[in-house]
Amino acid sequence: VYIPAFAGKRVVVTGADSCTGSFVGMVKECRGHKFYLTGDNADRLAEVCQEANRLGAWGAMFEVSDVSREKEVAKSFESAVNYLGGVDVLISCAAWAGQQQKLQHTSMSTFDRTFDVTCRGAFLWTSKVVHWMEQNGRTGQLVFLCSGRVLPFKSAACASQWAVQGLAMSLRQELAEDGSGIKVGMVNSFHGDETRAASEDAANVVWKLVNQTSESNICLLYTSDAADEEDSVDLGGRRIIKKKKKRENSSDSVSNRIRRNLKT
């Protein structure tokens, strides 16, 4: 029986049990790749593994882990390398949004947990993966799913998302100055609406970064929902020029909707 050699990419996805993270392994682009998934919801992770295998992934496994705990990340990273044989791609989706609250009513425990999962988690996993890549060919891809949208009543979540973008941009410059072949890219998605359609859209844009050619090194892509917030954005390598038109102020409408939710 002829068994073809593995020719795909070895992919780690953090926050793979989140709405958007799940779809990273549940779109057609996952075919032929091998996955290590981590998150804190075992049932959801099992569903993602099953769906990825059904769609033609070379293989997928998961482990429940807290991305904010250094020892757990070290253990998970070791498991990932043992299963995958190495890491070609890190897709960082882990985030914690917390509750909708005014800044002055946001507790320090909520603030700390938000930064621990979103920012500390991204730092811990990225540090492990970059160190491994630097020791093994100095190539690979790091993709960060973040939101540049500013939402009221989400001060801690917004701050943590901007922190991850700063981490990614700083690392991108570091690697470029060192002459490294490791690529760093970001996907700016609209996290205010984690519907199935929005999450699948974000996952497809993530794979545009993963599947970019060796000659390209894309810094930032937008999902279509994030693109709706701009007059001109770079979407999947294409320049989209939007016609200006009268419409309801988006920030006001979001604010009013959240205020209604807080009152109920």
Side-chain angles (χ1 to χ4, degrees), residues 3-257:
I3 301 177
F6 174 66
K9 295 181 178 180
R10 301 163 296 181
V11 184
V12 172
V13 185
T14 68
D17 54 342
S18 67
C19 195
T20 300
S22 296
F23 277 100
V24 168
M26 295 169 63
V27 292
K28 61 183 180 180
E29 285 83 357
C30 76
R31 180 179 297 275
H33 302 304
K34 197 172 182 180
F35 292 87
Y36 174 89
L37 311 172
T38 185
D40 59 12
N41 187 320
D43 291 339
R44 185 59 175 153
L45 290 170
E47 291 177 8
V48 179
C49 277
Q50 183 178 5
E51 184 65 9
N53 286 320
R54 187 188 71 80
L55 289 171
W58 188 272
M61 75 162 285
F62 74 88
E63 285 187 323
V64 174
S65 175
D66 186 340
V67 297
S68 70
R69 296 183 180 274
E70 187 174 5
K71 290 184 179 179
E72 288 193 33
V73 171
K75 183 179 178 181
S76 294
F77 177 76
E78 184 178 355
S79 295
V81 172
N82 288 338
Y83 174 68
L84 299 173
V87 181
D88 299 311
V89 180
L90 169 65
I91 302 175
S92 180
C93 298
W96 199 75
Q99 297 178 334
Q100 295 175 345
Q101 292 177 316
K102 291 183 177 180
L103 184 145
Q104 65 268 32
H105 297 153
T106 301
S107 67
M108 282 310 304
S109 60
T110 295
F111 182 90
D112 289 342
R113 184 58 180 164
T114 303
F115 267 78
D116 281 349
V117 174
T118 307
C119 195
R120 180 182 170 91
F123 175 85
L124 288 173
W125 265 102
T126 302
S127 177
K128 289 289 185 183
V129 171
V130 169
H131 181 75
W132 188 92
M133 288 178 172
E134 284 288 304
Q135 300 298 316
N136 292 272
R138 307 193 77 198
T139 61
Q141 292 176 309
L142 310 172
V143 180
F144 297 88
L145 188 73
C146 4
S147 174
R149 187 88 186 276
V150 178
L151 294 170
F153 310 106
K154 287 282 188 178
S155 56
C158 291
S160 66
Q161 291 287 337
W162 281 94
V164 170
Q165 292 188 58
L167 181 155
M169 292 299 292
S170 176
L171 176 61
R172 181 181 169 90
Q173 292 187 29
E174 286 178 22
L175 294 171
E177 290 182 7
D178 287 344
S180 175
I182 301 171
K183 299 178 181 180
V184 179
M186 294 179 292
V187 171
N188 195 325
S189 66
F190 177 22
H191 278 259
D193 181 19
E194 284 221 340
T195 62
R196 178 186 176 91
S199 296
E200 189 169 5
D201 180 33
N204 280 313
V205 177
V206 166
W207 280 100
K208 288 182 183 293
L209 278 176
V210 175
N211 292 327
Q212 65 182 304
T213 65
S214 57
E215 291 78 19
S216 67
N217 189 5
I218 300 170
C219 175
L220 174 64
L221 290 179
Y222 291 83
T223 58
S224 59
D225 47 10
D228 288 340
E229 300 303 311
E230 304 292 338
D231 291 322
S232 174
V233 299
D234 186 17
L235 176 61
R238 304 184 304 278
R239 199 69 182 169
I240 306 297
I241 307 299
K242 292 187 171 293
K243 294 181 180 179
K244 293 186 177 181
K245 59 182 180 180
K246 290 184 178 181
R247 62 180 181 179
E248 180 178 304
N249 185 287
S250 59
S251 61
D252 286 344
S253 62
V254 171
S255 300
N256 292 334
R257 186 165 64 250

